[in-house]
Amino acid sequence: MATEEHDRERRQVFGDDAEQYDTARPGYPDRLVEDVLDFAALPASVPAVEVGAGTGKATLAFAARGTPVTCVEPDARMARVLRSRCTGLPHVAVEVADFETWRPDRAYGLLYCAQAWHWVDPAVRWARARAVLRPGGAVALFWNHWDLEDLRLAERLTAVHARYGLAVPPYTILDPRPRPAGRGPRARQWREMEADGGFAGMEHRLYESAHERSPSGLIELLASFSGYRALPAALRDRLFRDVGRAVEQDGGSAGVRVTSSLFLARSRA
């Protein structure tokens, strides 16, 4: 129970500065969004549901292609930014609710979740997915995983953390452990869907991209991760000051590789 409560608290920290999160986080590849919609093959009248929509980083990409979307977001602060981003999009509805207890009034042809499925209670998430989908409905779960292109800079920034007695937070851009992006059938998401027995036609796809971050841009990205948001503000500010200085001394920018990992499946008829 303590772990579940901790996870619930961690997933709520993103709303502490929802605008900052929206600015810092990159979106998702156009090809990924198109592949999801091709896989789902939604009839025009059948909507999609987005779980943990946040501030709309994925929502806008699907809505721009005309997909009717119901967004389920547990944090009212994130939902407030989401609604502002979706002004003028009548085919996007926003509901503030936990997916675990949300009760839809219709069946959906596509359930997608960007960067948030791991926050949904594992005891019920697959049963809830099956409950909201019509037979044959599609599931699309995707994440961005980041790495610094310059390993030497990554080592310097890790040393900055060590000076403050801090380990690099897990699943962040400096985490040296292998990313789960390429695991395919060995990934937890795949194995859980197989074990649930309610899904078929599973696929895994990867998308690669890269961009440059200024010192402040890299700090903004770090600040969007829950492991950094959970630090005491004064300590976090000192850490980020030294991170920025290290990037400045290393040429003034940091190359970031992004691997977008997509899991697809269909609910069994």
Side-chain angles (χ1 to χ4, degrees):
M1 177 64 71
T3 299
E4 292 176 2
E5 291 175 353
H6 176 67
D7 287 345
R8 184 170 294 273
E9 291 173 0
R10 286 280 296 274
R11 79 177 185 180
Q12 295 292 335
V13 302
F14 300 107
D16 290 346
D17 193 345
E19 291 280 0
Q20 186 276 335
Y21 178 93
D22 186 68
T23 300
R25 287 291 179 102
Y28 301 93
D30 289 340
R31 179 65 184 273
L32 182 154
V33 176
E34 291 162 5
D35 283 354
V36 170
L37 292 174
D38 286 346
F39 183 86
L42 289 174
S45 60
V46 178
V49 59
E50 180 177 3
V51 177
T55 60
K57 303 302 288 189
T59 312
L60 293 175
F62 282 87
R65 290 162 171 80
T67 306
V69 182
T70 298
C71 301
V72 182
E73 169 52 45
D75 192 313
R77 300 163 298 179
M78 301 286 274
R80 192 174 304 116
V81 176
L82 172 61
R83 286 194 177 102
S84 71
R85 298 291 184 268
C86 295
T87 300
L89 298 174
H91 55 299
V92 176
V94 179
E95 298 194 24
V96 179
D98 290 320
F99 179 65
E100 293 90 337
T101 56
W102 175 65
R103 293 294 179 264
D105 60 2
R106 70 189 74 183
Y108 291 86
L110 166 65
L111 178 153
Y112 71 91
C113 182
Q115 214 75 28
W117 192 247
H118 54 287
W119 296 118
V120 182
D121 185 352
V124 300
R125 57 190 172 204
W126 301 106
R128 295 292 301 129
R130 285 188 277 104
V132 305
L133 286 170
R134 67 179 190 168
V139 173
L141 311 175
F142 47 98
W143 287 262
N144 282 337
H145 302 274
W146 302 270
D147 293 284
L148 283 184
E149 292 183 325
D150 187 338
L151 295 179
R152 185 175 55 84
L153 177 59
E155 291 173 355
R156 290 187 62 189
L157 297 184
T158 299
V160 170
H161 287 65
R163 288 204 298 270
Y164 287 97
L166 296 173
V168 169
Y171 307 113
T172 61
I173 192 170
L174 296 173
D175 187 349
R177 296 176 302 172
R179 296 293 193 270
R183 291 179 183 168
R186 293 177 295 147
R188 181 181 63 188
Q189 292 80 11
W190 187 293
R191 290 185 285 106
E192 286 184 358
M193 282 192 284
E194 278 190 323
D196 179 83
F199 302 92
M202 288 176 283
E203 297 184 22
H204 179 240
R205 304 178 188 181
L206 294 174
Y207 308 79
E208 302 289 341
S209 58
H211 62 271
E212 290 288 321
R213 289 267 173 163
S214 66
S216 61
L218 184 64
I219 290 169
E220 287 286 319
L221 180 58
L222 295 179
S224 72
F225 289 102
S226 62
Y228 288 101
R229 286 174 179 257
L231 292 174
L235 174 59
R236 184 174 61 240
D237 289 347
R238 293 196 300 271
L239 173 68
F240 286 167
R241 177 199 62 204
D242 287 355
V243 165
R245 287 174 177 170
V247 177
E248 288 282 6
Q249 293 167 2
D250 202 70
S253 68
V256 177
R257 291 190 304 264
V258 185
T259 301
S260 302
S261 179
L262 167 65
F263 294 87
L264 295 165
R266 298 187 190 282
S267 62
R268 293 187 185 276

